[in-house]
Amino acid sequence: MNVSEVFTMGGKRGKNILLFLAFVGPALLAFSFIVLIPFLSGIYYAFTDWNGVTGNVQWVGLDNFITLFTEDKQFLTSFWITTKYTIVAILLTNFVGFSLALLVTRGLKLRNVFRTAFFLPNLIGGLILGFIWQFIFTKGFVSIGNLTGIDFFNLSWLGDANTAFWGIVIVSVWQGAGYIMIIYIAALQNVPQELIEAARMDGANSWQVLKNITLPLVAPAFTICLFLTISWSFKIFDVNLSLTGGGPFKSTEMLALNIYTEAFVNNRYGLGEAKALIFFIVVATITTIQVMYTKSKEVEA
């Protein structure tokens, strides 16, 4: 290899580095300032007693974490409420989303209209959605109940702990099912129709086709949708804030709202960051286990 070839290779390598920096650099810089640096600083503040306002930051070690598990009963209550909500929301959102996907992939003339209608709630911001449904629960349902006399509509939807919880579930499923539907539609459209036709010729009914052919072939979509719904459900904040505000009497205060209240309302930023760090570890662990488990099922399928 002569000198000119060495310089040529060096020039190509430098050009590739410049191209890489030109395309990836801005995104990496934005990610560092918006996500990475705040995340690392948050870890530091989790071990301090900073109030989020003054410049007085005192290192307290593990005191914040000890406080969470020994004195802060509302944190543990919010953790339980969030866990219960997450389980319900995951099951219902995926069930409704998959059912809608099955419906609109049939030979319906208005299937495109239905797809658009089912997806539209996802385009509405969570805060706006919460306020809209707050009006529906407090005004719309009452009017329907007075006209029809049906007790279901006369329930105190946002004034009772149990019905307020289910109110949040209804709004979240209504918003998220359309997005999940799109992912399932893409998976269902890739299922080979000749397999389904062959199974029907062999006498398989609709349930047998769904169970033995469709579900195994759309397993990758289930992996994605479970990951998304777990992440969404654990991190729910805007709907919780605008619909119930954590009420009545903090009976529907999810973990994200509890962290927000601790850090920015009670001005205990260090304690709020400690909660957020525990929250991150739990969500990261659960989603990692879920992805590994469902991916293994894809291989088996």
Side-chain angles (χ1 to χ4, degrees):
M1 182 179 295
N2 55 39
V3 177
S4 61
E5 290 177 342
V6 172
F7 279 109
T8 301
M9 290 181 62
K12 289 182 178 179
R13 185 177 301 171
K15 184 179 180 180
N16 291 335
I17 293 173
L18 289 175
L19 287 173
F20 177 81
L21 291 176
F23 285 102
V24 180
L28 183 61
L29 192 65
F31 177 80
S32 299
F33 278 102
I34 296 173
V35 178
L36 189 59
I37 294 175
F39 176 73
L40 295 176
S41 64
I43 294 177
Y44 166 73
Y45 287 124
F47 297 91
T48 69
D49 66 347
W50 188 41
N51 62 7
V53 180
T54 65
N56 183 23
V57 181
Q58 183 177 354
W59 183 269
V60 295
L62 297 176
D63 287 357
N64 287 332
F65 298 93
I66 295 172
T67 300
L68 293 184
F69 293 104
T70 56
E71 300 177 16
D72 195 338
K73 295 181 180 179
Q74 184 57 43
F75 174 70
L76 298 177
T77 302
S78 295
F79 204 106
W80 164 242
I81 295 170
T82 306
T83 302
K84 182 172 65 172
Y85 163 80
T86 299
I87 295 171
V88 175
I90 289 170
L91 295 175
L92 289 180
T93 304
N94 281 278
F95 175 76
V96 174
F98 187 72
S99 300
L100 294 177
L102 287 175
L103 175 65
V104 298
T105 50
R106 306 294 181 184
L108 302 175
K109 292 183 179 180
L110 297 177
R111 60 182 179 274
N112 291 331
V113 176
F114 288 145
R115 291 180 186 184
T116 304
F118 295 146
F119 183 75
L120 275 178
N122 190 259
L123 302 178
I124 305 174
L127 285 173
I128 299 174
L129 197 67
F131 288 125
I132 292 173
W133 274 90
Q134 187 181 75
F135 174 81
I136 293 172
F137 283 130
T138 57
K139 303 294 184 181
F141 276 19
V142 171
S143 299
I144 296 173
N146 292 335
L147 290 173
T148 61
I150 300 175
D151 293 336
F152 174 83
F153 294 105
N154 288 322
L155 293 174
S156 179
W157 278 96
L158 302 183
D160 181 78
N162 293 324
T163 52
F165 172 83
W166 285 106
I168 297 174
V169 171
I170 290 171
V171 176
S172 300
V173 172
W174 185 75
Q175 182 187 30
Y179 189 92
I180 297 301
M181 175 196 70
I182 297 297
I183 299 174
Y184 284 133
I185 288 174
L188 289 171
Q189 289 177 337
N190 287 326
V191 175
Q193 291 301 310
E194 54 269 20
L195 289 178
I196 296 176
E197 292 173 2
R200 292 192 183 280
M201 291 178 64
D202 290 337
N205 57 36
S206 298
W207 168 247
Q208 290 172 330
V209 171
L210 178 65
K211 178 183 177 182
N212 298 313
I213 297 177
T214 305
L215 291 180
L217 291 177
V218 299
F222 280 108
T223 299
I224 297 171
C225 291
L226 284 174
F227 175 81
L228 290 175
T229 49
I230 289 172
S231 178
W232 293 346
S233 300
F234 265 113
K235 296 187 299 182
I236 183 175
F237 172 76
D238 43 9
V239 172
N240 189 198
L241 176 64
S242 58
L243 189 63
T244 66
F249 306 109
K250 293 186 178 295
S251 60
T252 61
E253 186 180 73
M254 306 290 182
L255 204 50
L257 182 58
N258 179 263
I259 293 170
Y260 168 83
T261 303
E262 194 70 73
F264 300 107
V265 178
N266 299 337
N267 288 329
R268 293 192 289 187
Y269 193 85
L271 191 60
E273 284 291 354
K275 293 182 178 182
L277 182 57
I278 294 173
F279 188 32
F280 168 77
I281 294 172
V282 170
V283 175
T285 302
I286 292 174
T287 51
T288 301
I289 294 172
Q290 173 263 313
V291 170
M292 293 175 62
Y293 177 77
T294 51
K295 290 293 287 184
S296 68
K297 292 300 180 180
E298 289 178 30
V299 175
E300 292 176 10

